[in-house]
């Protein structure tokens, strides 16, 4: 999803959790997580990456990510992480 489409969707849908790939064209996921958290700090952002180094994970977490998950995704782990993020809030929507 293009960045210019992401923020209107977040505004209109008002999700509790956003899944975001770290590697993105133009604007990286760690830059986006900072923007999302600055705009709506209550949103939990789960980052995913095929090349998740400890340094990248630490940077994303410092920028406000709830969690970072390596690809290929283990869907049970992803489900558990989403549930943990949802438990941080009374709202229950994911985008």
């Amino acid at each position: 999803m293009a960045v210019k489409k992401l923020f209107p969707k977040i505004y209109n849908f008002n999700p509790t959790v956003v899944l975001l790939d770290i590697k993105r064209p133009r604007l990286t996921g760690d830059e986006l997580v900072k923007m999302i958290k600055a705009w709506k700090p209550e949103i939990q952002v789960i980052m995913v990456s095929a090349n998740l180094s400890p340094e990248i994970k630490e940077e994303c977490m410092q920028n406000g990510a709830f969690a970072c998950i390596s690809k290929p995704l283990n869907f049970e782990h992803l489900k558990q992480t989403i549930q943990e993020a949802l438990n941080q809030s009374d709202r229950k929507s994911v985008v």
Side-chain angles (χ1 to χ4, degrees):
M1 177 179 303
V3 173
K4 65 183 178 181
K5 294 180 181 179
L6 177 65
F7 285 95
K9 286 198 180 289
I10 290 174
Y11 179 80
N12 291 328
F13 189 61
N14 197 25
T16 304
V17 177
V18 173
L19 299 176
L20 189 60
D21 200 315
I22 292 171
K23 291 278 189 182
R24 300 181 43 83
R26 298 189 194 117
L27 195 59
T28 64
D30 61 323
E31 293 169 321
L32 274 174
V33 74
K34 281 193 285 191
M35 294 170 64
I36 290 169
K37 296 302 278 188
W39 182 52
K40 288 199 164 256
E42 69 275 11
I43 293 175
Q44 302 295 347
V45 181
I46 299 172
M47 309 294 292
V48 296
S49 177
N51 302 306
L52 188 59
S53 69
E55 296 81 17
I56 291 172
K57 182 176 182 175
E58 182 178 334
E59 184 176 349
C60 289
M61 298 301 285
Q62 287 177 352
N63 289 336
F66 178 81
C68 296
I69 300 174
S70 295
K71 292 179 184 176
L73 295 175
N74 173 318
F75 287 101
E76 283 303 314
H77 178 63
L78 177 60
K79 181 179 170 183
Q80 178 182 351
T81 304
I82 292 170
Q83 188 59 54
E84 290 169 5
L86 289 171
N87 289 340
Q88 298 288 322
S89 175
D90 292 334
R91 297 174 20 226
K92 305 290 187 222
S93 54
V94 179
V95 68

